[in-house]
Structure formats: structure tokens, C-alpha cells
Amino acid sequence: MATHTTQTAVGEREDLADVIYRIDPDETPIFSALKKETSNGIFTEWQVQELAAASATNYVNEGANATFATPTATARFGNYHQISVKDVAVSGTLEAVDKAGRDRELAYQRVLKSLELRRDIEKSIGDTDVARDASDPRKSASLSCWMTNGSVGAGSGAFATGDGTDVITAGTARPLTLALIEDGMQDAWSDGGNPKMLIASATNRANFSDLSASGNLVSNDVNMTAAKATTYVGSTSVFLTDFGTLDVAPSRFMGNDRIFMVDPDFASLCTLQGRNFSEKEIAATGDAEKMQLVTEWSLKVQAPKAHAGIFDLNGS
């Protein structure tokens, strides 16, 4: 007797889940940690005040006349706004048909493009070496262009000026060490900074935990009050240095050649008024709905010396 099965039958309905699963990551640790500000011009400027050097000989004779030193002037910094966009065009037919996982395709694409735009900004800030540029298309100086604390590789390695106008010079690659992190923290602390976040690629995040474990900085505790499997802790998420505590955040959008130690209190993402992820409907040129998502943004590092970077890492 022949058995009629799904292999021979015709008319079986598709079993397409009414949910769309998104695997691509949208976590943006730098973008999320930075303060958000609004500006009114394409070139945003700010001032940084440093105190006069401390004196160990600040004593005078009784009744002495006042002497007037020249006050320490402020330093003036600035960065250009960069225009970042995402475009969507959806046919009228696609909007009309019944779709699994979403009702309106254009609304769904709006959400996706917003997430993609955040990722683009995250990568532009942390994984590029781009100086500020006024010529079209304008460019916002990336985070590495503001760094003067930390270290670069030997040989030709050199920090940028630290005002966003130029980029770092690559040096000899070397492995990540705890000493490099401690030295970077000390540099920032000596200049009055207190970095609170360490941001690294997945490779350097794992390398850092390995260094911490081998240096006996990870506590591997076993709770024996209940009958359960032993848990081994091999990851370092908070690093207590001699110069402050760092929360360690992995970034999927940073390369293995650098890590940053950032104080979020002295860095912000500045967007032009009315241009913060603004949606623009574009006139139809046929049977399609069109939309553009626009943000005009600038990285504003209010106190460059409050942060540190370690560059020219080899990923080991």
C-alpha cells in the first residue's frame, strides 16, 4: 500500500514565522556612553581651562606686596559636523502585499536604518584616524585625533597634536600588557582626568581578561552553600587600577590595533539642531515611497587630557 506523504502531496502551506530575527549586533558602547548635545553651527567650538602648575615655594614675607602672574589662558578647540545618511526606497507593491514579521515595510526599514546609522557613527568615532576637515564632505575628527595620553608603538609612532587637526602616526605593533593600561591611566590622572571606561575589540577584550587572570586579578570563587556545578570566573569586567576604576566594554566595531580609556563626563556627541536622526520624505519618482534618515554630528572632546589611548597593538 502506497502511503501519501508530504513528498507526494501538493498544497502544503508555508510555515513562515511571523517574527524576524536580527543577528547583526547593534550595541554601540562609545555612542551610548557619550553625552548628547545640540549645536547651532557646522563648526562647534569649546574652551578648556588648565590650572597653573602647582608650586612648592608659595611663601612670601610678612607685609609683602602682591605680585601678579599672567593668568593661564584657555585653550580653544573645535570640530566640524559630519553628515551621515541612510536612504530607503520601497515599492508600492511591497507596501501593499501581506508580509511576515512586519506590517509596513517603510516603517520597518526606518528602524533598521536608525540602528545602522548608530553603528556607522560608532565605527567612525572609534575605529578610524580621521582629522577634522571643512571641505565637502565635511568630516568630524575621530577619537584618536584627540589623544595625547597613553602610548604608541616604538619607531615612528607618534600621537596627533591632540586638537583634532591631524592624525596619529603608526609605530611598531606590540602586544597588550597591563603595564600599558596602568601607564595610560597614570598619564590621564596626572593631567587631571579620571577615565571610567575601557573600550576594546573582542580580541583585546579577551586578551585583557587573560592578562588579568595570569596576574591573579580575577577572583575564582566557588559557592559551596548549595549543591550546584562549580563556576569558574575567567573574565574581568571591572579593573581597579592605582588611578581609578575602569568598566571594561567590548566593542564589535573597533579594530585590534587600539584600546581607549574614556571619561564619558568629558566627551559628547553633538548634533546640529533639527538634524538629530531626522527623517526626510523624498519625492516619489515612480511607484515607490522614499525616505532619508539624516544626522549631522560632531565628536566633542571637552577635555582631551582626561582620556587615554593605547595604539599599535598586534592583537595578542
Side-chain angles (χ1 to χ4, degrees):
M1 181 183 68
T3 302
H4 196 35
T5 69
T6 57
Q7 301 295 322
T8 56
V10 175
E12 181 184 1
R13 291 186 180 273
E14 287 184 333
D15 183 21
L16 177 59
D18 201 28
V19 176
I20 299 174
Y21 300 95
R22 196 173 65 239
I23 185 62
D24 288 323
D26 59 3
E27 295 94 336
T28 51
I30 301 176
F31 181 98
S32 300
L34 297 182
K35 296 182 295 182
K36 306 302 185 291
E37 297 184 9
T38 303
S39 60
N40 297 310
I42 62 172
F43 187 64
T44 182
E45 294 186 273
W46 62 96
Q47 297 181 81
V48 177
Q49 177 69 68
E50 293 191 15
L51 301 178
S55 172
T57 58
N58 190 352
Y59 39 74
V60 298
N61 294 331
E62 184 176 335
N65 289 329
T67 58
F68 300 94
T70 302
T72 303
T74 60
R76 187 170 176 173
F77 294 92
N79 203 3
Y80 287 100
H81 282 68
Q82 174 175 322
I83 303 174
S84 298
V85 301
K86 289 288 182 178
D87 308 314
V88 177
V90 176
S91 73
T93 303
L94 181 56
E95 282 288 65
V97 298
D98 189 20
K99 296 172 288 294
R102 70 274 194 198
D103 293 326
R104 296 198 65 223
E105 185 66 26
L106 192 61
Y108 178 64
Q109 289 298 325
R110 265 195 203 101
V111 174
L112 293 184
K113 296 306 177 184
S114 177
L115 294 173
E116 290 173 4
L117 203 49
R118 287 167 56 104
R119 288 154 45 108
D120 289 351
I121 295 172
E122 177 85 6
K123 193 167 183 65
S124 294
I125 292 174
D127 197 40
T128 65
D129 302 314
V130 177
R132 74 185 195 197
D133 191 348
S135 59
D136 283 331
R138 296 192 308 273
K139 299 177 184 65
S140 171
S142 55
L143 185 56
S144 64
C145 299
W146 303 93
M147 296 292 170
T148 56
N149 287 324
S151 67
V152 293
S156 60
F159 282 111
T161 305
D163 58 4
T165 60
D166 57 356
V167 300
I168 62 172
T169 302
T172 304
R174 66 275 171 75
L176 177 65
T177 65
L178 291 178
L180 288 174
I181 298 173
E182 288 278 10
D183 289 346
M185 287 291 289
Q186 182 176 351
D187 289 347
W189 182 87
S190 297
D191 282 335
N194 293 287
K196 299 177 179 67
M197 286 181 63
L198 187 152
I199 306 162
S201 67
T203 295
N204 283 325
R205 176 68 177 84
N207 290 340
F208 172 67
S209 289
D210 289 343
L211 291 170
S212 302
S214 63
N216 297 319
L217 298 180
V218 175
S219 176
N220 300 314
D221 296 327
V222 179
N223 186 345
M224 298 302 294
T225 59
K228 59 181 181 180
T230 299
T231 300
Y232 173 79
V233 180
S235 172
T236 305
S237 57
V238 178
F239 184 31
L240 179 60
T241 75
D242 290 329
F243 304 98
T245 301
L246 286 168
D247 290 323
V248 185
S251 173
R252 292 183 172 95
F253 309 108
M254 272 180 59
N256 297 330
D257 63 334
R258 66 193 61 197
I259 67 171
F260 290 114
M261 290 160 280
V262 174
D263 186 345
D265 292 334
F266 292 101
S268 61
L269 187 70
C270 195
T271 52
L272 198 61
Q273 189 168 9
R275 303 274 281 176
N276 184 13
F277 285 75
S278 62
E279 296 179 11
K280 294 177 58 179
E281 290 187 8
I282 299 176
T285 54
D287 183 23
E289 292 186 64
K290 299 177 181 179
M291 184 272 294
Q292 186 177 64
L293 191 64
V294 180
T295 186
E296 196 156 352
W297 62 275
S298 178
L299 176 63
K300 186 174 179 180
V301 184
Q302 289 96 335
K305 292 183 179 180
H307 317 283
I310 301 172
F311 302 96
D312 300 317
L313 298 174
N314 63 12
S316 64

